[in-house]
Amino acid sequence: MTENSSQPTAPTSELPTQYAPADVEGALYERWVERGYFEADAKSDKPPFTVVIPPPNVTGSLHLGHAFEHTLIDALTRRKRMQGYETLWQPGMDHAGIATQNVVERELAKEGKSRHDLGREAFIERVWQWKGESGGQISGQMRRLGDGVAWSRERFTMDEGLSQAVQTIFKRLYEDELIYRAERIINWCPRCLTAISDIEVEYQDDDGELVSMTYGDGEDTIVVATTRAETMLGDTAVAVHPDDERYRHLIGRQIKLPLTDRSIPVVADAHVDPEFGTGAVKVTPAHDPNDFEIGQRHDLPSLAVMNERAVITVPGPFEGLDRLEARSAIVAALRAEGRIVAEKRPYTHSVGHCSRCKTTIEPRLSLQWWVKVAPLAKAAGDAVRDGRVKIHPQEMEKRYFDWVDNLHDWCISRQLWWGHRIPVWYGPAGEVVCVGPDEEPPTGEGWHQETDVLDTWFSSGLWPFSTLGWPEQTESLAKFYPNSVLVTGYDILFFWVARMMMFGLYAMDGTPPFHTIALHGMVRDQFGKKMSKSFGNAVNPLDWMDKYGSDALRFTLARGANPGVDVPIGEDWVQGSRNFANKIWNATRFALMNGATVEGPLPSPEEMSSTDRWILSRLNKTVAEVDAFYEDYQFAKLSESLFHFAWDEVFDWYVELSKTTFFAGGEQARVSGRVLGEVLDVMLRLLHPVVPFVTDTLWTTLTGGESLVIADWPADSSFRDEAAEREIALVQQVVTEVRRFRSDQGLQPGQKVPARLSLDGTALAPHEAAIRQLLRLQPEGEGFHATASLPVAGATVALDLSGTIDVAAERKRLTKDLGAAEKEVAQANAKLGNEAFLAKAPDQVVEKIRTRLSTAEAEIARITGQLAALPQS
């Protein structure tokens, strides 16, 4: 380093004057990938750290929810890699049965064809073709975001290896009598023509009608109500509560079912709420899950009245009508018979819709394949109860237990062609054979395979171990199972997470699939509203990355990530994060040009100024703080800590306080340059997991190192200097108070003012030059006249404001403001001193008045101080 501090000590030619993310991010990411930084070695003797990506649908594209979740996972894995762990972030995609089949069927429809025109095998070939050409665009978008995944290990739930895992666990569960086939009520989509899982049902409030109608005649008359009048054609009973005196005489009797030639019994069932409606409910076992249970308890027949497209199949005047058409026609027919007692229209109620096509779901009795979940769910609950798996935040445990302790058997069959076909063969004499992956299926006349495929959640439930080669006992499985942590949204805690827990414990001999479940909230707009295309507030994260850079989006998302809490986000916040990235760039570039270096050992504390010791003390406290927040998955807090340390303490205070040193040159400039280099080195390492692109570019320029991706994570050196921290706090107090006074007097930030600083005998004395520079205070010079005197931090700052302000006008303005504040205090005290008012006024009104009083009193103190500081002549 030369004596002239204006000469750079590190090359800055590689750093343009302005940071342009588009010029940096793409090429830098490809360099990381080409050098294999994100790959994981199963043979390594480093401790493992494993995270799986929640596999996005092959049909999907990056949305803000993905960007949010991926940012958190990437931050965790980047830090662990820097800490010396053999880090695996396992990438891959889900085959997304219904979604993918729908996409390809729409493509066929454009050609005037259906999947049935192609046949099953040709259709599946067409899906694979689509997957190869158009599927998986999200992988490229993940690269844009900076995801540090092990791309060589990328898996797909329909890969050969994962298909073998699916067939293996199905066979084991079947042989352990945990998979069976039975008729039950399922969620049926009349558009997709398949059963769908609970998570694929979206509930929304729809306007319908509630119709009350009479069954039976004369003394046998009973009133029931329904929102689905068309299902009455399948009623096989009316149920009442056994203790309901109104209907005791009817229990066990047969009553006339209108519009049919059937009579149905009145049964007593404790499920019925006698306080709701008339206390009597129609029972349609084939079209309602609660009615099905009643039917099972009372041995009632189940009559299906609709086909798979929700078209009425009962012979008679309604046959062939769509369910909604039939609803209107049946109500009209009942009205004609005088059986309509009441009609409430519109009647708003929660209705399930297919998440893929938005069609109203039809509960339907169907022969399906099921998993008996009771023993699996108990194991999943026990693993959390005994501490083998921790849920973070802990308050989410209750929701987890409420779910796994009350799980119903899981319908795993889907009436689709795209997916893992159920490995069961049926024989001509009623034989049922489950075939494992290494077994030959039975052949011969009359043998055929089950046509249904498995629920997508079945294969994604195996994700933590199937991606590592299971059922083979691979090196990767031994090294990287169980996962260290699962980072996912609380919204799929009950679906994906619970299934992984059940399957992992079952397949891996009681070893859970992860040590910790870290749950995050959902991304919402800046007003806290759910993002949706229909609301007009959905955002394509790629647009924001194009405009502000990937680091800006990542930092915004991380800064809002409190555990288990929803995350509001707005474009102005991303813009603010872009400004932070620019601040890091510009300040680091300035520091490099003015003495920052990592060359040579760090000077001893005796060689450093108190400003140097202060920033190193604050740096090490920040390292410890950030480490603690990472271990507690407090991404918002660690981001906030880094933001304030970098912007406020390093750039706004340390660099500014050190400018006089750098400009003066000499030995102290060399010492401070080395300290600044150390601070930048550590700060960029701390920031890297959240904002990887700008930090890696700056760090390699500063240090000449290969990449921050493989650099060491900073360790807390335990260096603390509380005395230096107290000393600089006094400097900050002086600067802040005088700046506030200048602003109150209407002085421009750059306007220079003559001043006398009385600092002798205080800890502030060594900092006079820096204080003067920060406050734009000139030496007092000849003719100095102290028109304002500010006592602060044990020192006095006297200012000569002659000619800088109109004292008379300023005194008049302040006096007017003081009068308004005093009037506010008088009014507030009058109300708070009125016992009658306090007895009647709501608590929030009283609290608001107290707040106004406190604010006004503070305003009086401020204005009084300003008036006292004004020149007297």
Side-chain angles (χ1 to χ4, degrees), residues 243-286:
D243 298 331
D244 194 332
E245 292 294 337
R246 293 172 296 177
Y247 304 116
R248 187 178 295 277
H249 68 288
L250 287 176
I251 295 174
R253 296 180 65 172
Q254 297 280 327
I255 62 173
K256 169 70 174 176
L257 179 65
L259 307 183
T260 73
D261 58 2
R262 294 190 292 117
S263 294
I264 57 176
V266 177
V267 299
D269 196 282
H271 171 77
V272 179
D273 180 1
E275 303 298 325
F276 184 76
T278 64
V281 297
K282 59 190 286 299
V283 181
T284 321

Short mmCIF file of all heavy atoms in Angstrom, two decimals, residues 243-286:
data_model
loop_
_atom_site.label_atom_id
_atom_site.label_comp_id
_atom_site.label_asym_id
_atom_site.label_seq_id
_atom_site.Cartn_x
_atom_site.Cartn_y
_atom_site.Cartn_z
N ASP A 243 -82.38 -39.42 20.82
CA ASP A 243 -83.03 -38.80 21.98
C ASP A 243 -83.98 -37.68 21.58
O ASP A 243 -84.47 -36.95 22.45
CB ASP A 243 -81.97 -38.24 22.93
CG ASP A 243 -81.06 -39.33 23.48
OD1 ASP A 243 -81.54 -40.48 23.60
OD2 ASP A 243 -79.88 -39.04 23.77
N ASP A 244 -84.21 -37.51 20.29
CA ASP A 244 -85.08 -36.42 19.83
C ASP A 244 -86.54 -36.87 19.93
O ASP A 244 -87.02 -37.71 19.16
CB ASP A 244 -84.74 -36.07 18.39
CG ASP A 244 -85.34 -34.73 17.95
OD1 ASP A 244 -86.39 -34.37 18.50
OD2 ASP A 244 -84.74 -34.06 17.08
N GLU A 245 -87.26 -36.30 20.92
CA GLU A 245 -88.64 -36.70 21.19
C GLU A 245 -89.56 -36.44 20.00
O GLU A 245 -90.57 -37.12 19.83
CB GLU A 245 -89.17 -35.94 22.42
CG GLU A 245 -88.50 -36.32 23.72
CD GLU A 245 -88.83 -37.76 24.11
OE1 GLU A 245 -89.86 -38.29 23.65
OE2 GLU A 245 -88.04 -38.37 24.86
N ARG A 246 -89.23 -35.47 19.15
CA ARG A 246 -90.09 -35.12 18.02
C ARG A 246 -90.27 -36.29 17.06
O ARG A 246 -91.30 -36.41 16.39
CB ARG A 246 -89.52 -33.93 17.26
CG ARG A 246 -89.53 -32.63 18.03
CD ARG A 246 -88.78 -31.56 17.27
NE ARG A 246 -87.35 -31.88 17.11
CZ ARG A 246 -86.48 -31.12 16.42
NH1 ARG A 246 -86.92 -30.03 15.80
NH2 ARG A 246 -85.22 -31.48 16.34
N TYR A 247 -89.25 -37.14 16.98
CA TYR A 247 -89.28 -38.18 15.94
C TYR A 247 -89.26 -39.60 16.52
O TYR A 247 -89.12 -40.56 15.77
CB TYR A 247 -88.10 -37.99 15.00
CG TYR A 247 -88.02 -36.62 14.37
CD1 TYR A 247 -86.96 -35.76 14.62
CD2 TYR A 247 -89.04 -36.19 13.53
CE1 TYR A 247 -86.90 -34.50 14.05
CE2 TYR A 247 -89.01 -34.92 12.95
CZ TYR A 247 -87.93 -34.08 13.22
OH TYR A 247 -87.88 -32.84 12.65
N ARG A 248 -89.38 -39.72 17.86
CA ARG A 248 -89.27 -41.05 18.46
C ARG A 248 -90.30 -42.01 17.88
O ARG A 248 -90.01 -43.19 17.66
CB ARG A 248 -89.44 -40.93 19.98
CG ARG A 248 -89.16 -42.25 20.71
CD ARG A 248 -89.29 -42.06 22.22
NE ARG A 248 -88.28 -41.16 22.74
CZ ARG A 248 -87.04 -41.54 23.05
NH1 ARG A 248 -86.67 -42.80 22.86
NH2 ARG A 248 -86.18 -40.68 23.55
N HIS A 249 -91.49 -41.50 17.55
CA HIS A 249 -92.55 -42.37 17.02
C HIS A 249 -92.27 -42.85 15.60
O HIS A 249 -92.89 -43.82 15.13
CB HIS A 249 -93.90 -41.63 17.04
CG HIS A 249 -93.97 -40.50 16.07
ND1 HIS A 249 -93.28 -39.31 16.25
CD2 HIS A 249 -94.65 -40.35 14.89
CE1 HIS A 249 -93.53 -38.49 15.25
NE2 HIS A 249 -94.36 -39.10 14.40
N LEU A 250 -91.32 -42.17 14.92
CA LEU A 250 -91.05 -42.53 13.52
C LEU A 250 -89.89 -43.52 13.39
O LEU A 250 -89.74 -44.16 12.34
CB LEU A 250 -90.73 -41.28 12.70
CG LEU A 250 -91.90 -40.35 12.38
CD1 LEU A 250 -91.40 -39.11 11.65
CD2 LEU A 250 -92.93 -41.09 11.52
N ILE A 251 -89.05 -43.61 14.43
CA ILE A 251 -87.84 -44.44 14.33
C ILE A 251 -88.26 -45.90 14.05
O ILE A 251 -89.07 -46.48 14.75
CB ILE A 251 -87.01 -44.34 15.62
CG1 ILE A 251 -86.46 -42.92 15.79
CG2 ILE A 251 -85.85 -45.36 15.59
CD1 ILE A 251 -85.76 -42.68 17.10
N GLY A 252 -87.68 -46.44 12.99
CA GLY A 252 -87.97 -47.82 12.61
C GLY A 252 -89.09 -47.95 11.59
O GLY A 252 -89.30 -49.02 11.02
N ARG A 253 -89.81 -46.87 11.31
CA ARG A 253 -90.90 -46.93 10.36
C ARG A 253 -90.41 -46.61 8.96
O ARG A 253 -89.40 -45.95 8.76
CB ARG A 253 -92.01 -45.95 10.76
CG ARG A 253 -92.65 -46.31 12.09
CD ARG A 253 -93.73 -45.35 12.50
NE ARG A 253 -94.88 -45.37 11.59
CZ ARG A 253 -96.00 -44.73 11.82
NH1 ARG A 253 -96.14 -44.02 12.93
NH2 ARG A 253 -97.01 -44.78 10.95
N GLN A 254 -91.14 -47.04 7.96
CA GLN A 254 -90.87 -46.75 6.55
C GLN A 254 -91.71 -45.55 6.13
O GLN A 254 -92.89 -45.45 6.48
CB GLN A 254 -91.24 -47.96 5.68
CG GLN A 254 -90.43 -49.21 5.97
CD GLN A 254 -89.05 -49.17 5.33
OE1 GLN A 254 -88.87 -48.60 4.25
NE2 GLN A 254 -88.07 -49.76 6.01
N ILE A 255 -91.06 -44.61 5.38
CA ILE A 255 -91.80 -43.46 4.87
C ILE A 255 -91.60 -43.36 3.37
O ILE A 255 -90.62 -43.87 2.82
CB ILE A 255 -91.36 -42.14 5.56
CG1 ILE A 255 -89.87 -41.85 5.28
CG2 ILE A 255 -91.65 -42.19 7.06
CD1 ILE A 255 -89.43 -40.50 5.79
N LYS A 256 -92.53 -42.69 2.72
CA LYS A 256 -92.51 -42.56 1.27
C LYS A 256 -91.41 -41.59 0.83
O LYS A 256 -91.29 -40.48 1.33
CB LYS A 256 -93.87 -42.03 0.80
CG LYS A 256 -93.93 -41.61 -0.65
CD LYS A 256 -93.86 -42.76 -1.62
CE LYS A 256 -94.06 -42.28 -3.04
NZ LYS A 256 -93.89 -43.39 -4.01
N LEU A 257 -90.56 -42.04 -0.13
CA LEU A 257 -89.54 -41.16 -0.73
C LEU A 257 -90.16 -40.53 -1.97
O LEU A 257 -90.52 -41.24 -2.92
CB LEU A 257 -88.29 -41.96 -1.11
CG LEU A 257 -87.17 -41.15 -1.78
CD1 LEU A 257 -86.61 -40.10 -0.81
CD2 LEU A 257 -86.05 -42.06 -2.29
N PRO A 258 -90.34 -39.22 -2.00
CA PRO A 258 -91.00 -38.55 -3.14
C PRO A 258 -90.32 -38.85 -4.47
O PRO A 258 -89.12 -39.17 -4.53
CB PRO A 258 -90.88 -37.07 -2.78
CG PRO A 258 -90.69 -37.03 -1.30
CD PRO A 258 -89.92 -38.27 -0.95
N LEU A 259 -91.09 -38.73 -5.53
CA LEU A 259 -90.63 -38.87 -6.92
C LEU A 259 -90.11 -40.26 -7.25
O LEU A 259 -89.50 -40.46 -8.29
CB LEU A 259 -89.55 -37.83 -7.24
CG LEU A 259 -89.87 -36.36 -6.93
CD1 LEU A 259 -88.72 -35.46 -7.38
CD2 LEU A 259 -91.17 -35.94 -7.61
N THR A 260 -90.28 -41.20 -6.34
CA THR A 260 -89.83 -42.58 -6.59
C THR A 260 -90.95 -43.52 -6.16
O THR A 260 -91.95 -43.11 -5.55
CB THR A 260 -88.55 -42.90 -5.78
OG1 THR A 260 -88.90 -43.04 -4.40
CG2 THR A 260 -87.49 -41.82 -5.95
N ASP A 261 -90.74 -44.79 -6.44
CA ASP A 261 -91.69 -45.78 -5.96
C ASP A 261 -91.13 -46.54 -4.77
O ASP A 261 -91.50 -47.67 -4.50
CB ASP A 261 -92.07 -46.76 -7.09
CG ASP A 261 -90.84 -47.46 -7.66
OD1 ASP A 261 -89.72 -47.21 -7.16
OD2 ASP A 261 -91.01 -48.26 -8.60
N ARG A 262 -90.21 -45.88 -4.04
CA ARG A 262 -89.55 -46.53 -2.91
C ARG A 262 -90.00 -45.94 -1.58
O ARG A 262 -90.38 -44.77 -1.50
CB ARG A 262 -88.02 -46.40 -3.01
CG ARG A 262 -87.42 -47.15 -4.17
CD ARG A 262 -85.89 -47.19 -4.08
NE ARG A 262 -85.24 -45.89 -4.25
CZ ARG A 262 -84.53 -45.29 -3.32
NH1 ARG A 262 -84.40 -45.85 -2.12
NH2 ARG A 262 -83.95 -44.11 -3.57
N SER A 263 -89.89 -46.75 -0.54
CA SER A 263 -90.04 -46.29 0.84
C SER A 263 -88.70 -46.50 1.54
O SER A 263 -87.97 -47.46 1.23
CB SER A 263 -91.14 -47.06 1.58
OG SER A 263 -92.40 -46.77 1.03
N ILE A 264 -88.40 -45.62 2.48
CA ILE A 264 -87.10 -45.70 3.17
C ILE A 264 -87.32 -45.62 4.67
O ILE A 264 -88.32 -45.04 5.13
CB ILE A 264 -86.15 -44.57 2.72
CG1 ILE A 264 -86.78 -43.19 2.96
CG2 ILE A 264 -85.77 -44.74 1.26
CD1 ILE A 264 -85.86 -42.03 2.63
N PRO A 265 -86.43 -46.22 5.47
CA PRO A 265 -86.62 -46.24 6.92
C PRO A 265 -86.16 -44.93 7.57
O PRO A 265 -85.34 -44.20 7.03
CB PRO A 265 -85.74 -47.40 7.37
CG PRO A 265 -84.61 -47.40 6.39
CD PRO A 265 -85.24 -47.03 5.07
N VAL A 266 -86.69 -44.67 8.75
CA VAL A 266 -86.17 -43.62 9.63
C VAL A 266 -85.29 -44.32 10.66
O VAL A 266 -85.74 -45.24 11.35
CB VAL A 266 -87.30 -42.85 10.33
CG1 VAL A 266 -86.73 -41.81 11.29
CG2 VAL A 266 -88.21 -42.19 9.30
N VAL A 267 -84.02 -43.92 10.71
CA VAL A 267 -83.07 -44.57 11.62
C VAL A 267 -82.60 -43.56 12.66
O VAL A 267 -82.59 -42.34 12.45
CB VAL A 267 -81.85 -45.14 10.85
CG1 VAL A 267 -82.30 -46.18 9.83
CG2 VAL A 267 -81.06 -44.02 10.17
N ALA A 268 -82.20 -44.09 13.82
CA ALA A 268 -81.69 -43.26 14.91
C ALA A 268 -80.17 -43.33 14.90
O ALA A 268 -79.60 -44.43 14.97
CB ALA A 268 -82.24 -43.74 16.25
N ASP A 269 -79.53 -42.15 14.81
CA ASP A 269 -78.06 -42.13 14.77
C ASP A 269 -77.54 -40.91 15.54
O ASP A 269 -78.02 -39.78 15.33
CB ASP A 269 -77.57 -42.07 13.33
CG ASP A 269 -76.11 -42.43 13.21
OD1 ASP A 269 -75.25 -41.57 13.52
OD2 ASP A 269 -75.81 -43.58 12.82
N ALA A 270 -76.59 -41.17 16.43
CA ALA A 270 -76.06 -40.10 17.29
C ALA A 270 -75.30 -39.04 16.50
O ALA A 270 -74.99 -37.97 17.04
CB ALA A 270 -75.16 -40.70 18.38
N HIS A 271 -74.96 -39.32 15.25
CA HIS A 271 -74.25 -38.33 14.43
C HIS A 271 -75.11 -37.11 14.15
O HIS A 271 -74.60 -36.00 13.93
CB HIS A 271 -73.82 -38.98 13.10
CG HIS A 271 -73.28 -38.00 12.11
ND1 HIS A 271 -72.03 -37.45 12.18
CD2 HIS A 271 -73.87 -37.43 11.00
CE1 HIS A 271 -71.84 -36.62 11.18
NE2 HIS A 271 -72.94 -36.58 10.44
N VAL A 272 -76.42 -37.27 14.15
CA VAL A 272 -77.34 -36.19 13.80
C VAL A 272 -77.38 -35.17 14.93
O VAL A 272 -77.50 -35.53 16.11
CB VAL A 272 -78.75 -36.75 13.53
CG1 VAL A 272 -79.72 -35.61 13.20
CG2 VAL A 272 -78.71 -37.76 12.41
N ASP A 273 -77.30 -33.90 14.57
CA ASP A 273 -77.40 -32.80 15.53
C ASP A 273 -78.86 -32.36 15.61
O ASP A 273 -79.38 -31.76 14.66
CB ASP A 273 -76.51 -31.64 15.09
CG ASP A 273 -76.56 -30.46 16.05
OD1 ASP A 273 -77.27 -30.55 17.08
OD2 ASP A 273 -75.89 -29.44 15.77
N PRO A 274 -79.53 -32.62 16.72
CA PRO A 274 -80.96 -32.26 16.80
C PRO A 274 -81.21 -30.76 16.82
O PRO A 274 -82.33 -30.32 16.58
CB PRO A 274 -81.41 -32.91 18.13
CG PRO A 274 -80.16 -33.04 18.94
CD PRO A 274 -79.05 -33.29 17.95
N GLU A 275 -80.15 -29.97 17.10
CA GLU A 275 -80.30 -28.51 17.16
C GLU A 275 -80.14 -27.87 15.78
O GLU A 275 -80.43 -26.68 15.62
CB GLU A 275 -79.26 -27.91 18.11
CG GLU A 275 -79.32 -28.46 19.53
CD GLU A 275 -80.65 -28.16 20.20
OE1 GLU A 275 -81.20 -27.07 19.94
OE2 GLU A 275 -81.14 -29.01 20.96
N PHE A 276 -79.67 -28.64 14.78
CA PHE A 276 -79.41 -28.06 13.47
C PHE A 276 -80.60 -28.32 12.55
O PHE A 276 -81.02 -29.47 12.35
CB PHE A 276 -78.14 -28.67 12.86
CG PHE A 276 -77.76 -28.06 11.54
CD1 PHE A 276 -77.16 -26.81 11.47
CD2 PHE A 276 -78.03 -28.73 10.35
CE1 PHE A 276 -76.82 -26.24 10.26
CE2 PHE A 276 -77.70 -28.17 9.12
CZ PHE A 276 -77.09 -26.92 9.08
N GLY A 277 -81.12 -27.25 11.98
CA GLY A 277 -82.24 -27.40 11.05
C GLY A 277 -83.43 -28.04 11.73
O GLY A 277 -83.83 -27.69 12.84
N THR A 278 -84.02 -29.01 11.03
CA THR A 278 -85.19 -29.70 11.59
C THR A 278 -84.78 -30.86 12.48
O THR A 278 -85.65 -31.50 13.08
CB THR A 278 -86.07 -30.23 10.45
OG1 THR A 278 -85.34 -31.22 9.70
CG2 THR A 278 -86.50 -29.11 9.51
N GLY A 279 -83.50 -31.16 12.53
CA GLY A 279 -83.05 -32.30 13.33
C GLY A 279 -83.20 -33.61 12.60
O GLY A 279 -82.97 -34.68 13.19
N ALA A 280 -83.57 -33.56 11.32
CA ALA A 280 -83.69 -34.76 10.50
C ALA A 280 -82.85 -34.57 9.24
O ALA A 280 -82.88 -33.49 8.63
CB ALA A 280 -85.14 -35.02 10.13
N VAL A 281 -82.12 -35.60 8.85
CA VAL A 281 -81.28 -35.49 7.65
C VAL A 281 -81.54 -36.65 6.71
O VAL A 281 -81.79 -37.78 7.14
CB VAL A 281 -79.76 -35.46 8.02
CG1 VAL A 281 -79.41 -34.25 8.86
CG2 VAL A 281 -79.34 -36.74 8.74
N LYS A 282 -81.52 -36.33 5.41
CA LYS A 282 -81.62 -37.37 4.40
C LYS A 282 -80.28 -38.10 4.33
O LYS A 282 -79.23 -37.49 4.53
CB LYS A 282 -81.98 -36.77 3.04
CG LYS A 282 -80.99 -35.73 2.54
CD LYS A 282 -81.52 -34.98 1.33
CE LYS A 282 -81.49 -35.81 0.07
NZ LYS A 282 -80.14 -36.24 -0.32
N VAL A 283 -80.32 -39.38 4.05
CA VAL A 283 -79.11 -40.21 4.04
C VAL A 283 -78.91 -40.78 2.65
O VAL A 283 -79.74 -41.57 2.16
CB VAL A 283 -79.19 -41.34 5.08
CG1 VAL A 283 -77.90 -42.17 5.07
CG2 VAL A 283 -79.45 -40.78 6.48
N THR A 284 -77.79 -40.37 2.00
CA THR A 284 -77.46 -40.83 0.65
C THR A 284 -76.08 -41.48 0.71
O THR A 284 -75.07 -40.84 0.40
CB THR A 284 -77.44 -39.66 -0.35
OG1 THR A 284 -78.50 -38.75 -0.06
CG2 THR A 284 -77.55 -40.15 -1.78
N PRO A 285 -75.98 -42.73 1.10
CA PRO A 285 -74.66 -43.35 1.37
C PRO A 285 -73.70 -43.34 0.19
O PRO A 285 -72.49 -43.33 0.38
CB PRO A 285 -75.03 -44.78 1.77
CG PRO A 285 -76.43 -44.69 2.28
CD PRO A 285 -77.08 -43.65 1.44
N ALA A 286 -74.21 -43.33 -1.03
CA ALA A 286 -73.32 -43.42 -2.20
C ALA A 286 -72.79 -42.06 -2.63
O ALA A 286 -71.94 -41.98 -3.52
CB ALA A 286 -74.05 -44.08 -3.37
#
